[in-house]
Each structure stands twice: as structure tokens, then as C-alpha cells.
């Protein structure tokens, strides 16, 4: 059987796709770092989760998003 070739994405569609991938990566990293940090804090501090801990997790996710964005822009 013959299959039709997949059309090349337009620059606008490709940009939206990159933005979505970057946001999803940032969310995933924030969740993973947040969970690991929370477990670490709860295990060592006797059950206290501080605002600094939450800020660290969010900041790490934001930095990873920026890094992913820059990497994709440079690879373009």
C-alpha cells in the first residue's frame, strides 16, 4: 500500500510544538525535583516542608525550561 507523505510542519505550527514541549518538560522537571526535594526535606527535617524548598523546586523547573528553550533555539 502507498501512504501519503506527512506534510512538513509550518514554521508557526513548529513553534507552537516547541513551546508545548518546553512547557511539558518544565512541568515534568518541576514535579520530579519537587517530589525528590520534598521527600528529602520530610525525611531529614522531621516533617517540615518550607517555602524555600518549594521555591527551589519551582526555580529548578523554570531554569530547566529556559535551558530547553535555548537548546531548541540553538538547534534550529
Amino acid at each position: 500500500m502507498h501512504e501519503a507523505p506527512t506534510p512538513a510542519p509550518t514554521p508557526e505550527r513548529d513553534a507552537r510544538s516547541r513551546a508545548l514541549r518546553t512547557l511539558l518538560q518544565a512541568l515534568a522537571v518541576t514535579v520530579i525535583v519537587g517530589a525528590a526535594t520534598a521527600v528529602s526535606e520530610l525525611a531529614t527535617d522531621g516533617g517540615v516542608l518550607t517555602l524555600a524548598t518549594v521555591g527551589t523546586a519551582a526555580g529548578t523547573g523554570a531554569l530547566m525550561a529556559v535551558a530547553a528553550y535555548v537548546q531548541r533555539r540553538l538547534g534550529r
Side-chain angles (χ1 to χ4, degrees):
M1 289 182 129
H2 182 293
E3 293 184 25
T6 305
T10 62
E12 182 180 284
R13 185 174 179 190
D14 191 42
R16 282 194 307 258
S17 175
R18 277 196 315 271
L20 180 61
R21 286 191 312 257
T22 300
L23 288 174
L24 288 175
Q25 182 179 10
L27 178 63
V29 168
T30 301
V31 168
I32 291 169
V33 170
T37 305
V39 167
S40 172
E41 285 291 317
L42 293 174
T44 59
D45 284 346
V48 178
L49 188 61
T50 64
L51 184 58
T53 302
V54 175
T56 300
T60 302
L63 287 174
M64 289 298 293
V66 169
Y69 175 77
V70 169
Q71 181 181 14
R72 287 192 178 104
R73 293 293 290 181
L74 291 175
R76 185 176 175 186

